[in-house]
Structure formats: structure tokens, C-alpha cells
Amino acid sequence: GIGSSLKCLYLSDNSIGNEGLSSLVDALQTCTGLETLHLSGNDFSSAAAGLGSLSSLLQRYEMNLKHLNLSNCRINDEGLRALSQGAANHCEELDLDGNESITSTGLSYLS
């Protein structure tokens, strides 16, 4: 496998939904060197479970993800709540641009 040598992964606009995101998170378990993950343009409007899995992955001590791009993914407050703990505490940069369903309630989960 790719393991710790993978630094950047760009999977923008690939029709990845909840099931695909959960499968991707499983595949990334050994990618401890991953610093940049671009998932922009995928539909995560009903992917709270997958976003929760991604959050759990980010919280693992050996993960080193610095940049997470989730722009234009149709993420809502529920999805952001599922993602928030891992993303807020373990990423240096989180791009949520264009997720128009996120309200001030959703943004409060990041604080």
C-alpha cells in the first residue's frame, strides 16, 4: 500500500457520498504522512456518518493532516457537528467555502 509516503490526495468532484467517504477513511488508516486532502465538490449533504469517521481519523495521534478542503460539498450543520472535533483540533486549515447550508449554529461547533 501507499502507507506513510502519501502526502497529498486530490479527490475533488468525484461524486463521493457518505458510503464513499466511509470507504476512503478506511483506506486512509495507514496514510499517516497525509498532509493535504481535497474533497471539494463532492456531495456530503447526507454524510454525517462519513464525516464523523473522518473526524475520528483526524483525532488519531499519528495522523498529520494539515489542510482539509471540503468546499462546495453541501455540508450542513449536522455534518459539521460530526466533523468538528477532529477538524477543529487537528487541522491547520479547513476550507468550508460554498457550503451554504451551514448556519451560525454549525459554525459554533468549531469553537
Side-chain angles (χ1 to χ4, degrees):
I2 296 170
S4 62
S5 64
L6 183 66
K7 300 284 184 206
C8 300
L9 183 58
Y10 293 85
L11 292 172
S12 299
D13 302 306
N14 275 288
S15 301
I16 299 170
N18 184 56
E19 188 175 323
L21 183 56
S22 295
S23 295
L24 175 63
V25 167
D26 288 344
L28 292 177
Q29 296 293 323
T30 60
C31 296
T32 55
L34 188 66
E35 296 178 358
T36 302
L37 180 58
H38 280 262
L39 296 173
S40 62
N42 290 292
D43 184 359
F44 299 146
S45 58
S46 58
L51 291 167
S53 296
L54 181 58
S55 179
S56 295
L57 176 72
L58 295 176
Q59 292 176 66
R60 291 179 44 207
Y61 71 93
E62 66 270 18
M63 295 305 295
N64 195 33
L65 193 71
K66 293 178 173 36
H67 310 283
L68 178 57
N69 186 330
L70 294 171
S71 62
N72 300 302
C73 286
R74 301 179 61 199
I75 295 172
N76 56 27
D77 289 348
E78 180 185 353
L80 189 54
R81 182 177 58 216
L83 175 71
S84 63
Q85 189 172 10
N89 296 327
H90 300 280
C91 288
E92 293 176 12
E93 180 182 315
L94 175 62
D95 186 347
L96 293 169
D97 184 49
N99 289 290
E100 297 172 1
S101 295
I102 295 175
T103 68
S104 57
T105 300
L107 291 175
S108 71
Y109 299 132
L110 293 174
S111 59

